[in-house]
């Protein structure tokens, strides 16, 4: 039996993914899982605090949408910069720097005295969040064996749901006690994780075996030339899918709290938090299930199924007004409308070589997220004419577009060995 890129003997194809895993594999798993959970917590704290910040700083909904969008745009630059650093200086080192970046940025948000300052600090958060995904995705896909790559990434990606739920819980617990500024101060906590990662997480063997590190311009030429088609196709369906996600989930906390007289469900803070946490249980199951579907039936089939069912579930959800029905159907929306995220990192990893992998993964994922920055703004502006419920229903079209791109242009890469 040949050695896998991680340097360990891979488990049999039918074995559970965690059977026979090495210490290095588990260290990479927990580093990426905790890093992603905490970066999403820091990124989404703003969504939990929009109404309170707006009241304090005199911010309109359209302005709040613009700030949320600016954070997403910044992730593209963070993904490119920290992704390139991950290819040059190592996955672990780049991850540490990116965690410190988004932690400090969140802390600074608590000191904001104006909308301009808040915008600047949210951009810093976005830079770090984009970079952390780049390094973490490369670390996991290069450390675990090919036959379980989708499943392992799915479990790691489920940290997204944990981070979303954690953001809601932190806001609900701390907001009444120390206000929205204090909630942002809590965002410095992930910085402690960075020091643990630096000390305990080794670099992947396949990265260490590279004999030459590319320059930035060489990397750009590879992504736009030899691998240009892969870059374009992956970027296109990622951007469409993320427009659907961010357009919907940025505004769901605000929509749940919108009074019935204004077209919303009218839930109070405690109920809104409970409903959001329950939705993230559905999201976590969606993340995990996607990996098993993708490793079994292929990346294309998994993406198409989740995108189509998301497009159906979203408008149905926005027509529900009773709390019980929202509680029951919310996890379904999150299951399909979030689960597809698990497929991005394995698919990108299988389409690009090691010397540009982190840059490719980070740039495509976060450039897609940058384009998706248009979606929260779109929802904010459409809400003035169609109400927030009507504006959220428009996001279903993005999921359909993503499914169409995958169906026509994405090659199947299931089980591919990394080069």
């Amino acid at each position: 039996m040949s050695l896998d890129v991680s340097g360990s003997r891979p488990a049999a194809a039918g074995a559970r993914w965690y059977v026979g895993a090495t210490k290095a594999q588990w260290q990479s798993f927990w580093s990426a899982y905790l890093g992603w959970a905490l970066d999403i917590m820091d990124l989404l704290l703003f969504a939990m605090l929009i109404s309170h910040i707006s009241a304090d700083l005199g911010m309109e909904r359209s302005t709040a949408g613009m700030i949320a969008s600016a954070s997403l745009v910044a992730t593209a630059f963070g993904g490119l910069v920290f992704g390139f650093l991950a290819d040059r200086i190592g996955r672990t080192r780049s991850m540490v720097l990116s965690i410190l970046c988004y932690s400090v940025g969140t802390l600074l948000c608590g000191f904001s005295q104006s909308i301009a300052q808040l915008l600047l600090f949210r951009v810093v958060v976005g830079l770090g969040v984009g970079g952390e995904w780049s390094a973490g995705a490369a670390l996991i896909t290069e450390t675990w064996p090919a036959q379980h790559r989708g499943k392992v990434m799915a479990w790691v990606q489920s940290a997204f749901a944990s981070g979303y739920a954690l953001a809601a819980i932190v806001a609900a617990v701390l907001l009444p006690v120390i206000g929205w500024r204090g909630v942002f101060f809590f965002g410095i906590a992930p910085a402690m994780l960075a020091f643990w990662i630096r000390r305990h997480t080794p670099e992947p063997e396949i990265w260490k075996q590279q004999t030459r590190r590319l320059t930035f311009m060489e990397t750009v030429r590879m992504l736009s030339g030899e691998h240009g088609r892969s870059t374009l196709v992956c970027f296109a369906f990622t951007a469409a899918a993320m427009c659907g996600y961010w357009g919907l989930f940025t505004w769901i906390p605000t929509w749940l709290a919108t009074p019935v007289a204004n077209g919303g469900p009218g839930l109070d803070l405690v109920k809104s938090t409970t409903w959001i946490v329950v939705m993230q249980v559905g999201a976590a199951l969606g993340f995990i299930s996607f990996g098993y579907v993708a490793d079994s039936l292929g990346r294309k089939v998994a993406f198409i199924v989740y995108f189509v069912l998301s497009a159906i579930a979203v408008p149905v959800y926005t027509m529900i007004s009773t709390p019980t029905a929202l509680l029951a159907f919310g996890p379904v929306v999150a299951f399909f409308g979030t689960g597809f995220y698990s497929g991005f990192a394995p698919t990108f990893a299988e389409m690009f070589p090691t010397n540009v992998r982190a840059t490719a993964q980070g740039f495509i994922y976060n450039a897609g997220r940058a384009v998706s920055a248009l979606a929260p703004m779109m929802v904010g502006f459409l809400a003035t004419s169609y109400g927030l419920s009507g504006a959220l229903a428009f996001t279903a079209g993005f999921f359909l577009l993503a499914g169409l791109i995958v169906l026509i242009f994405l090659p199947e890469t299931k089980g591919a060995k990394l080069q």
Side-chain angles (χ1 to χ4, degrees), residues 159-234:
F160 196 114
S162 300
Y164 197 123
L166 185 58
I169 293 170
V170 167
V173 172
L174 297 183
L175 183 62
V177 180
I178 56 178
W180 65 267
R181 296 182 185 279
V183 175
F184 279 133
F185 293 156
F186 181 82
I188 193 64
M192 294 182 289
L193 174 65
F195 299 103
W196 181 89
I197 291 175
R198 184 67 189 93
R199 183 173 180 179
H200 295 284
T201 307
E203 298 291 349
E205 287 298 322
I206 193 172
W207 179 82
K208 291 193 290 187
Q209 291 167 7
Q210 296 291 299
T211 58
R212 180 173 177 270
R213 311 295 180 201
L214 300 182
T215 66
F216 182 75
M217 290 311 300
E218 288 174 326
T219 300
V220 171
R221 282 195 291 269
M222 282 194 69
L223 295 182
S224 60
E226 180 181 350
H227 299 282
R229 184 183 186 279
S230 295
T231 302
L232 181 59
V233 170
C234 290

Side-chain angles (χ1 to χ4, degrees), residues 228-258:
R229 184 183 186 279
S230 295
T231 302
L232 181 59
V233 170
C234 290
F235 166 73
F237 85 84
T238 299
M242 288 189 176
C243 279
Y245 175 84
W246 286 106
L248 179 66
F249 284 92
T250 296
W251 286 103
I252 276 183
T254 301
W255 177 66
L256 289 173
T258 299

Side-chain angles (χ1 to χ4, degrees), residues 17 28-44 95 102 129 132-133 136-137 140 150-169 193 245-246 277 279-289 338-339 341-342 365 369:
W17 62 270
S28 70
F29 178 93
W30 287 114
S31 295
Y33 184 95
L34 293 173
W36 286 359
L38 294 173
D39 81 14
I40 290 301
M41 180 196 76
D42 277 10
L43 186 64
L44 288 176
M95 182 183 293
Y102 73 69
V129 168
E132 203 279 332
W133 193 94
I140 292 296
K151 293 184 284 293
V152 176
M153 277 303 310
W155 280 95
V156 173
Q157 192 73 52
S158 70
F160 196 114
S162 300
Y164 197 123
L166 185 58
I169 293 170
L193 174 65
Y245 175 84
W246 286 106
V277 171
M279 284 188 75
Q280 294 316 301
V281 172
L285 294 174
F287 285 132
I288 294 167
S289 67
T338 308
Y341 269 79
S342 295
Y365 182 92
R369 187 152 56 178

